[in-house]
């Protein structure tokens, strides 16, 4: 047998041998998608005889691109004189612009600015326009606009809310600045490439003919702009092979459009769809839970993972009283595993919300378990938490200039860099701390030196900290946090940032932990609390082989023999609310479960800190939807076998096509187009054609 096919199953071989026309490879978790994709590239070049220069394979990370290139070349017997173009979307955009940006009237010696450069420029522009908005928020909004092909002119015309009108003004000035200085930001790499192809039909035809065979990895993560760019690149031949899993589409919050994969076969006519359903990672018990859970989603193409490994042990559900009990239980089990000789690299704990990592970090530290936090920073290292700790340090010790300088403009108080430098200089010359400077130097001299506005703001900060000091010294720690938030309004400050929701959850987690500490020890001193945190936040240097703690998003693509998923409670996992997509939450659950190879533990607690207070939690509906817990009180969202675009038959109206699906009590309401006559019909009254 050709070595290209010897490790491939029948459906993988079928995908590899497909040459012309659109191909959708639905690759379930652990089904060997990378092997299939690289084998197909090797087949086109090494067996069919396609010139490597006529192929283009696009990925989302440089690491994935490098791995695929190496694996594909190993499969080709006769090494080509040059490798195929296998790179990220943005690397392709860079290469394309180097050759063609002049068609937009710009020179090809442009410079790419990174995220920090972009924010720095946005801050300068905002200052010039006298607009007080977070650079992170503005950068995020501009990125969304560019990935939706929305120009500053369109945003200026359509923006209605005051903050977004201000963003539009900054966007206009920002775009003018980077064009004048021949700069290109990360989003421009794709946006400008698309604009050039869109405006130049002859070039579009030439480029499409050059890249006659296009493949895309992780297609479910593509956004609107990437889809449009791919449509232009494949416009002459439709030889577009996309590999992805609609059940693992978990990046809607950052612009990924699941419709790209769901509607692929409708958009590209004569699409061949191949499902890779043999899973080489997990046992049958784990896959049964994943399959049962994801079947509750209506927006999916449908597939069922089958285990190559066999039955395996049962999934364990761990019930804890609270997060401290949960962390202690998990830490105890992991210590037992390590004692048996299990490699810590094969153990991981996942969570949906970053704030849940605090109890794990503390529990593991107490048990002297080495761990690493992947894809994020430790709880006490997060900027919003360091801000609160810095405030508390100043309350405990007002002469701590280091901590005071961190929080002097958080929230923003209009005390500029120059004013801060002058305060530092005066304090140094007066042998005083910055906080105490008003007791050493005449107020009028301070005001004349730093200006009236900065002086007023500084003295308000001094007064607020003094009030909080009085509470602390009087032993009123139980009310300190409430007064602190009332005076400082730190949550209000962070709420305006793009990731404000997560940050506020972290702040609430800290506030709740503070209150709980005081409740358990009414005589607790603020200094003692801060010292305890210092011990918690300092971890010995870790060896590389340690237990992984991470969010489910960070775990995508990884696998572990022993897996714990915590926080399976309503409002934590799934997240609930107007901004949450329950089907995407369920896909996150599917991703979490399918990270486990043999031992899966799903954990829930009776109570947790929620928005700064201890709250009785309700078990996650996902435990019921996975058929792991039979409990009449659990919410189980009814599934539907129908999806948008399906043909259905009604006994009165005949055959129609589903246009949309929405929940309606215990079943689903379908908007169906019966030959121009649109009706909303409950799903139980129609059948698939």
């Amino acid at each position: 047998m050709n070595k290209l096919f010897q490790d491939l199953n029948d459906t993988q071989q079928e995908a590899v041998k497909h040459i012309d026309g659109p191909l959708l490879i639905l690759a379930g978790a652990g089904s060997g998608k990378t092997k299939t994709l690289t084998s197909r590239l090797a087949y086109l070049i090494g067996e069919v005889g396609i010139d490597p220069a006529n192929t283009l394979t696009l990925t989302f990370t440089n690491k994935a691109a490098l791995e695929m290139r190496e694996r594909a070349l190993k499969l080709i017997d006769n090494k080509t004189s040059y490798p195929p173009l296998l790179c990220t979307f943005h690397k392709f955009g860079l290469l394309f612009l180097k050759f063609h940006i002049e068609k937009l009237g710009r020179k090809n010696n442009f410079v790419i600015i990174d995220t920090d450069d972009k924010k720095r420029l946005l801050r300068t522009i905002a200052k010039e326009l006298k607009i007080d908005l977070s650079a992170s928020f503005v950068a995020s909004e501009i990125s969304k606009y560019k990935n939706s092909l929305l120009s500053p002119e369109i945003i200026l015309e359509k923006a209605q809310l005051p903050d977004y009108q201000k963003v539009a003004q900054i966007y206009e000035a920002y775009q003018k600045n980077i064009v004048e200085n021949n700069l290109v930001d990360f989003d421009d790499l794709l946006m400008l490439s698309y604009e050039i192809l869109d405006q130049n039909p002859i070039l579009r035809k030439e480029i499409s003919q050059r890249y006659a065979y296009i493949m895309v990895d992780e297609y479910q993560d593509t956004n609107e702009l990437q889809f449009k760019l791919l449509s232009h690149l494949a416009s002459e031949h439709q030889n577009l092979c996309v590999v992805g899993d609609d059940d693992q589409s978990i990046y809607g919050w950052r612009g990924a459009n699941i419709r790209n994969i769901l509607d692929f076969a409708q958009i590209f006519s004569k699409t061949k769809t191949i499902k890779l359903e043999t899973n080489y990672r997990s046992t049958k018990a784990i896959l049964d839970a994943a399959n049962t859970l994801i079947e509750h989603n209506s927006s999916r193409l449908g597939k069922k993972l089958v285990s190559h490994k066999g039955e395996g042990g049962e999934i364990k559900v761990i019930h804890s009283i609270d997060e401290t009990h949960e962390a202690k239980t998990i830490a105890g089990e992991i210590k037992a595993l390590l004692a048996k000789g299990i490699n810590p690299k094969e153990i991981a704990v996942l969570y949906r919300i970053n704030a849940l990592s605090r109890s794990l970090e503390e529990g593991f530290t107490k048990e002297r378990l080495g761990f690493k936090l992947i894809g994020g920073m430790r709880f006490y290292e997060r900027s919003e938490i360091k801000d609160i700790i810095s405030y508390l340090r100043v309350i405990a010790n007002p002469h701590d200039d280091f901590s005071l300088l961190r929080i002097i403009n958080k929230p923003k108080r209009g005390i500029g860099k120059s004013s801060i430098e002058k305060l530092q200089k005066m304090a140094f010359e007066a042998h005083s701390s910055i906080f105490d400077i008003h007791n050493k130097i005449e107020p009028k001299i301070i005001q004349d030196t730093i200006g009236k506005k900065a002086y007023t703001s500084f003295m308000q900060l001094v007064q607020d900290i003094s009030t909080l000091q009085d509470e602390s010294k009087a032993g009123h720690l139980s009310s300190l946090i409430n007064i602190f938030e009332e005076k400082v309004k730190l949550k209000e400050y962070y709420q305006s940032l793009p990731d404000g929701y997560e940050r506020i959850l972290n702040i609430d987690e800290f506030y709740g932990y503070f209150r709980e500490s005081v409740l358990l020890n009414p005589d607790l001193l603020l200094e003692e609390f801060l010292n305890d945190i210092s011990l918690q936040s300092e971890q010995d240097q870790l060896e590389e082989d340690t237990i992984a703690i991470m969010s489910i998003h960070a775990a995508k693509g990884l696998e572990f023999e022993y897996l714990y998923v915590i926080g399976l409670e309503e409002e934590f996992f799934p997240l609930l609310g107007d901004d949450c997509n329950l089907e995407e939450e369920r896909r996150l659950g599917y991703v979490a479960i399918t990270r486990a190879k043999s031992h899966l533990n799903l954990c829930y607690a009776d109570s947790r800190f929620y928005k700064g207070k201890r709250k009785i939690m309700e078990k996650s509906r996902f435990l019921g939807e996975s058929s792991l817990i039979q409990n009449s009180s659990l919410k189980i969202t009814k599934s539907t076998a129908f999806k948008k675009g399906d043909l259905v038959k009604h006994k009165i109206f005949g055959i129609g096509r589903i246009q949309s699906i929405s929940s309606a009590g215990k079943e689903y309401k379908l908007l169906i187009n019966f030959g121009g006559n649109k009706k909303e019909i409950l799903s139980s009254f129609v059948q698939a054609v």
Side-chain angles (χ1 to χ4, degrees):
M1 180 188 283
N2 187 320
K3 75 168 187 175
L4 200 59
F5 301 114
Q6 62 187 15
D7 293 327
L8 301 177
N9 63 35
D10 291 345
T11 49
Q12 289 172 332
Q13 289 187 37
E14 184 185 2
V16 167
K17 291 177 181 177
H18 177 88
I19 300 172
D20 295 315
L23 173 64
L24 170 60
I25 303 175
L26 277 180
S31 63
K33 75 173 179 66
T34 302
K35 181 194 292 185
T36 305
L37 195 64
T38 52
S39 297
R40 184 172 185 269
L41 179 59
Y43 179 75
L44 289 174
I45 295 170
E47 299 292 326
V48 180
I50 303 299
D51 186 339
N54 293 137
T55 69
L56 171 63
T57 305
L58 297 170
T59 69
F60 278 86
T61 66
N62 289 314
K63 182 182 176 183
L66 182 63
E67 179 192 349
M68 287 186 184
R69 185 184 296 111
E70 289 176 353
R71 288 172 68 166
L73 290 176
K74 281 180 184 176
L75 292 169
I76 303 172
D77 286 326
N78 301 314
K79 293 290 190 293
T80 59
S81 55
Y82 50 90
L85 183 53
L86 204 163
C87 61
T88 65
F89 275 92
H90 292 90
K91 178 64 180 294
F92 173 79
L94 171 60
L95 296 172
F96 181 83
L97 290 181
K98 283 292 182 184
F99 285 101
H100 304 291
I101 197 170
E102 290 178 355
K103 289 183 170 56
L104 294 175
R106 295 178 61 175
K107 295 178 181 177
N108 70 353
N109 63 343
F110 59 84
V111 174
I112 300 174
I113 56 172
D114 62 20
T115 304
D116 287 340
D117 293 332
K118 180 179 179 180
K119 287 180 181 177
R120 200 174 297 118
L121 178 54
L122 290 171
R123 285 190 197 100
T124 302
I125 292 169
K127 190 174 181 181
E128 290 171 355
L129 296 174
K130 296 181 179 176
I131 293 174
D132 186 17
L133 282 178
S134 155
S136 295
F137 169 69
V138 176
S140 174
E141 287 302 306
I142 289 175
S143 181
K144 288 177 188 174
Y145 298 152
K146 290 193 174 187
N147 279 285
S148 298
L149 297 170
L150 297 172
S151 66
E153 293 73 28
I154 293 174
I155 301 301
L156 279 166
E157 181 185 333
K158 293 191 173 183
Q160 294 181 349
L161 296 174
D163 277 359
Y164 291 96
Q165 290 171 352
K166 292 173 185 176
V167 172
Q169 293 173 44
I170 297 173
Y171 182 21
E172 182 182 44
Y174 167 76
Q175 202 59 22
K176 185 171 182 286
N177 184 294
I178 63 173
V179 170
E180 286 175 353
N181 291 284
N182 205 22
L183 304 175
V184 168
D185 66 25
F186 202 56
D187 300 306
D188 286 333
L189 294 174
L190 299 188
M191 185 184 78
L192 299 180
S193 296
Y194 171 78
E195 286 179 358
I196 291 168
L197 289 172
D198 197 53
Q199 295 167 15
N200 297 272
I202 295 173
L203 176 64
R204 181 166 69 240
K205 183 176 181 179
E206 176 195 323
I207 296 297
S208 181
Q209 289 174 339
R210 179 185 305 168
Y211 299 115
Y213 293 90
I214 301 172
M215 290 192 283
V216 184
D217 187 28
E218 302 285 9
Y219 184 69
Q220 78 279 349
D221 295 336
T222 54
N223 61 25
E224 182 181 352
L225 178 54
Q226 288 160 337
F227 165 74
K228 289 187 173 182
L229 182 61
L230 285 169
S231 297
H232 276 343
L233 292 172
S235 57
E236 291 299 307
H237 48 71
Q238 304 284 287
N239 294 332
L240 178 60
C241 166
V242 300
V243 182
D245 185 0
D246 54 320
D247 292 332
Q248 295 189 75
S249 178
I250 58 174
Y251 296 113
W253 51 276
R254 72 179 187 196
N257 186 356
I258 193 175
R259 301 309 319 177
N260 290 351
I261 191 166
L262 293 179
D263 298 341
F264 185 85
Q266 282 79 46
I267 295 166
F268 297 95
S269 60
K270 298 181 181 177
T271 292
K272 183 180 182 68
T273 301
I274 296 174
K275 298 179 181 180
L276 304 184
E277 296 175 298
T278 302
N279 175 286
Y280 296 92
R281 175 189 300 153
S282 308
T283 60
K284 182 178 183 297
I286 291 168
L287 296 184
D288 284 349
N291 287 329
T292 307
L293 172 66
I294 203 64
E295 281 172 1
H296 286 77
N297 272 5
S298 58
S299 297
R300 64 188 298 257
L301 295 168
K303 65 183 178 315
K304 198 158 191 170
L305 295 177
V306 178
S307 176
H308 187 263
K309 292 176 75 170
E311 189 66 37
E314 289 185 359
I315 295 171
K316 185 177 175 184
V317 177
I318 297 177
H319 171 206
S320 302
I321 299 168
D322 57 24
E323 68 279 2
T324 304
H325 180 218
E326 178 182 70
K328 187 175 181 180
T329 301
I330 294 171
E333 289 199 4
I334 290 175
K335 283 184 84 171
L337 290 174
L338 298 177
K340 289 179 184 176
I342 300 299
N343 191 324
K345 285 197 301 185
E346 287 293 345
I347 306 171
V349 187
L350 309 184
Y351 46 78
R352 170 68 181 92
I353 295 173
N354 288 327
L356 296 188
S357 76
R358 181 196 62 81
S359 56
L360 286 174
E361 291 172 35
E362 293 187 359
F364 281 28
T365 301
K366 284 176 184 174
E367 294 295 329
R368 303 190 67 79
L369 280 175
F371 66 90
K372 56 185 173 184
L373 198 69
I374 297 175
M377 60 181 68
R378 300 185 72 212
F379 184 81
Y380 293 111
E381 291 172 357
R382 291 172 180 139
S383 63
E384 61 273 20
I385 302 304
K386 289 176 89 169
D387 289 345
I388 302 171
I389 292 171
S390 293
Y391 268 106
L392 294 180
R393 282 177 176 159
V394 173
I395 294 166
N397 174 18
H399 306 302
D400 180 354
D401 281 359
F402 178 80
S403 296
L404 181 70
L405 289 172
R406 178 180 177 90
I407 51 92
I408 197 166
N409 264 320
K410 286 186 178 179
K412 291 179 181 177
R413 295 185 171 88
I415 306 172
K417 186 179 177 183
S418 173
S419 297
I420 292 171
E421 288 172 351
K422 289 172 183 175
L423 283 170
Q424 286 178 286
K425 186 171 184 289
M426 283 188 288
F428 177 78
E429 291 173 348
H431 303 287
S432 166
S433 65
I434 296 172
F435 179 88
D436 205 36
I437 197 173
H438 64 285
N439 290 324
K440 300 290 181 71
I441 299 175
E442 285 290 330
K444 188 175 187 309
I445 295 174
I446 302 174
Q447 181 173 312
D448 290 345
T449 304
I450 66 173
K452 185 177 180 180
K453 183 182 176 184
Y455 175 75
T456 303
S457 296
F458 174 68
M459 289 310 297
Q460 182 62 54
L461 173 62
V462 168
Q463 184 180 326
D464 289 342
I465 289 173
S466 297
T467 301
L468 293 164
Q469 278 179 306
D470 292 341
E471 285 291 312
S472 174
K473 287 174 183 175
H476 299 157
L477 283 193
S478 57
S479 59
L480 183 67
I481 282 296
N482 293 340
I483 299 171
F484 169 77
E485 183 56 41
E486 182 185 310
K487 294 283 184 189
V488 177
K489 295 182 172 59
L490 204 60
K491 285 164 69 173
E492 189 178 300
Y493 166 67
Y494 273 111
Q495 201 154 16
S496 63
L497 300 183
D499 56 352
Y501 180 77
E502 277 281 356
R503 288 178 184 267
I504 288 171
L505 284 176
N506 292 334
I507 291 171
D508 282 336
E509 173 73 13
F510 184 91
Y511 287 173
Y513 175 60
F514 183 91
R515 292 188 185 104
E516 187 97 336
S517 299
V518 175
L519 192 65
L520 292 172
N521 181 7
D523 298 323
L524 182 70
L525 298 176
L526 185 56
E527 291 85 348
E528 290 175 337
F529 177 79
L530 290 169
N531 288 337
D532 186 50
I533 282 177
S534 295
L535 292 174
Q536 295 286 1
S537 58
E538 286 299 325
Q539 192 182 4
D540 293 336
Q541 191 65 35
L542 297 174
E543 296 177 10
E544 195 162 321
D545 291 352
T546 53
I547 302 144
I549 297 178
M550 70 188 94
S551 70
I552 298 166
H553 282 100
K556 189 170 179 289
L558 303 177
E559 56 184 41
F560 304 92
E561 286 289 352
Y562 296 85
L563 186 73
Y564 295 82
V565 184
I566 69 167
L568 277 154
E569 300 104 26
E570 295 286 293
E571 297 185 74
F572 272 39
F573 194 19
L575 286 181
L576 300 173
D578 294 338
D579 296 331
C580 295
N581 181 325
L582 186 57
E583 295 217 345
E584 183 155 316
E585 290 294 304
R586 197 173 281 112
R587 292 194 290 270
L588 262 177
Y590 175 86
V591 167
I593 290 170
T594 53
R595 298 311 94 200
K597 293 197 275 187
S598 57
H599 297 79
L600 175 62
N601 304 273
L602 301 180
C603 313
Y604 72 94
D606 290 336
S607 77
R608 288 189 193 274
F609 283 125
Y610 184 67
K611 296 186 176 176
K613 297 177 183 176
R614 183 156 294 283
K615 179 182 176 182
I616 301 301
M617 305 303 295
E618 189 179 344
K619 289 190 287 287
S620 170
R621 69 188 69 194
F622 293 168
L623 291 169
E625 292 178 359
S626 304
S627 296
L628 296 173
I629 286 184
Q630 300 300 323
N631 187 324
S632 59
S633 67
L634 279 176
K635 294 182 176 72
I636 297 184
T637 312
K638 187 176 173 65
S639 65
T640 176
F642 301 117
K643 62 181 182 296
K644 183 181 175 183
D646 280 355
L647 284 175
V648 292
K649 186 176 182 180
H650 187 270
K651 62 182 180 181
I652 296 173
F653 302 113
I655 293 175
R657 190 175 296 278
I658 298 173
Q659 295 197 320
S660 66
I661 302 173
S662 58
S663 294
K666 293 184 178 180
E667 59 176 303
Y668 283 86
K669 188 186 294 182
L670 312 177
L671 176 61
I672 307 170
N673 186 342
F674 296 100
N677 182 19
K678 295 181 182 179
K679 297 283 185 183
E680 284 192 330
I681 305 289
L682 292 175
S683 55
S684 58
F685 285 80
V686 298
Q687 61 186 52
V689 174

